[in-house]
Structure formats: structure tokens, C-alpha cells
Amino acid sequence: MEQTLKFLNELTANGLVEQYAIGGAMAAFFYSEAVVTEDLDAFILFDQPASGLVTLSPVYEFLKSRGATERREHLLVAGTLLQLIPAYDPLTEEAVRQAVDRLVGETGTRVLTAEHLIAIALKTGRAKDHARVATLLEEAAIDTARLTDILERHQLLERWDRFRALHP
Amino acid sequence: MNTTLKNIAEEIFRRKQAARREAARLPIEEKLRILVKLQQRANEVRRATGRPEMFVWQLD
């Protein structure tokens, strides 16, 4: 996976994206036990062009120039199945901007915080997202004040209350 | 409810929770090795049940 992360870092270094951060199940790996997953989700943040039009094509082309191949909705990059997800709302944009630096082997990367992972999972709201929230609450060191602040600013407190009612 | 059996079950659940928390503290590199094993095991089940296999990562 390190080589995949090096390519992601190159995206930022070459100005193809403003920033990226690992999300989804793989980000949760940094805070909780390993669970099975097939792909590596990378949220990417673009510098907003004057036209307002954003396309993933230059990013795809860059990664293909590094040997990546398309596989269904993923890119197969250096032995890892990569799912690129543009930051699509204020919550995911904030999550990428506030991601934390981590090392995998000797390669630096950026990972969404556990608090943002919980907020995004609550907002997405599928059964597997709720399972991720429950796992993070049980196994990760959560900054409750920070989580509450995120949930409040992104209008997720009602979902949080419903979740806590189901999983006290 | 048999109190002894309930206590045994609660102790099992407590140990499982402790094991999960311990697993959560493993280095990310070790978790990636575990992931590959999980992907391989998942594929054994998928093959046995006629479902498409998932991609198994090739670690560096």
C-alpha cells in the first residue's frame, strides 16, 4: 500500500489536487481493529477552478501514467484497489482539511480523524456505517467535545441522538 | 436465568471486547497484513457460496 500512498502524495505535490485524505474502512484501521474491506477510499479536495467545473480525468490520467488500471469503479494502483471520492459537501471538505498525518511504513499519508469518520458515517447512515460508528466508539479514543462540535455544525445531532438511542 | 451461565457469558464478552481493543492498538502495518488474510478468508467463503471474489491486496 505504501506505493499507492506515494502516488497519492504525488497528486498533491504536482498540484493535481489541493489535498487528499484516507477515509472509509481503511481510515478506521488507524483507530480500531482490522476488518475486511476491498478498497482504499481516498477523499480528494480540488482547488475550485474559476469555471466551477471539476473533473477527475487529470487525476486518473496521472495515476494511469504510473501504471494504474481501471477495474470497475476503482483504480488498481500498485496492488491496491483505490476508490477516489471527491469531497462532496462541507463535512467531507472539512474532514479532508483537518485530516491528520500518519505513517505507513516509511511513507507519510493523511487520514481522516476518528471524529470526522463518525460524523460522515452517521450522515451516510447505512448499516455498515452504523457498525463503523459503534466500533470506533468502543475502540478508539474519541474527543467527545470535538465530535459534538462537528455534529452540531453539520446538523447531525438528531442522527446522533437516534443512533445513541439504538446503541446506548 | 442461570446466574453462573450469565456470568460466564459476560466474562466471554468482556474478554472479546478486551481482545478487540488490543487488536485496535496494533501497528497499521500489522493490520494491513491481517487485512490480506481476511480478504483471503472472505474469498474462501465467497468461492464456496458461488459469489464473486474480492480483490486481495498485494502489499509492498
Side-chain angles (χ1 to χ4, degrees), chain A residues 2 29 32 37-38 105 138, chain B residues 20 29 31 39 55 57 60:
Chain A
E2 272 192 79
F29 268 41
S32 57
T37 184
E38 188 173 31
E138 186 175 308
Chain B
R20 284 197 297 274
E29 294 81 4
K31 290 181 184 178
Q39 289 170 334
F55 182 79
W57 291 16
D60 306 311

Side-chain angles (χ1 to χ4, degrees), chain B residues 9-20:
Chain B
E10 283 177 350
E11 176 61 14
I12 290 169
F13 296 143
R14 194 194 61 72
R15 285 186 191 174
K16 278 177 179 279
Q17 187 181 52
R20 284 197 297 274

Side-chain angles (χ1 to χ4, degrees), chain A residues 1-3 26 29 32-33 35-40 71 76 79-81 103-105 138-139, chain B residues 17 19-21 23-24 28-29 31-32 34-35 38-39 42 53-60:
Chain A
M1 188 171 97
E2 272 192 79
Q3 187 57 58
M26 185 51 56
F29 268 41
S32 57
E33 67 177 326
V35 293
V36 72
T37 184
E38 188 173 31
D39 58 3
L40 167 68
R71 190 181 170 113
L76 177 54
T80 303
L81 218 46
L103 272 178
V104 176
E138 186 175 308
E139 298 173 12
Chain B
Q17 187 181 52
R20 284 197 297 274
R21 287 188 173 145
I28 188 71
E29 294 81 4
K31 290 181 184 178
L32 289 172
I34 292 170
L35 169 63
L38 289 172
Q39 289 170 334
E53 292 184 33
M54 68 163 46
F55 182 79
V56 177
W57 291 16
Q58 295 138 33
L59 298 182
D60 306 311

Side-chain angles (χ1 to χ4, degrees), chain A residues 5-60:
Chain A
L5 298 176
K6 284 176 184 165
F7 290 150
L8 286 172
N9 291 337
E10 281 189 59
L11 291 177
T12 312
N14 290 339
L16 286 163
V17 303
E18 182 186 331
Q19 197 51 271
Y20 86 91
I22 297 174
M26 185 51 56
F29 268 41
F30 287 82
Y31 308 103
S32 57
E33 67 177 326
V35 293
V36 72
T37 184
E38 188 173 31
D39 58 3
L40 167 68
D41 290 341
F43 285 92
I44 51 181
L45 193 60
F46 289 98
D47 290 316
Q48 195 69 23
S51 66
L53 289 172
V54 167
T55 170
L56 285 173
S57 296
V59 172
Y60 271 58

Side-chain angles (χ1 to χ4, degrees), chain A residues 149-160:
Chain A
D149 175 58
I150 294 168
L151 296 175
E152 198 168 6
R153 284 187 296 99
H154 294 281
Q155 292 85 47
L156 292 168
L157 281 176
E158 201 178 315
R159 285 180 192 235
W160 172 249

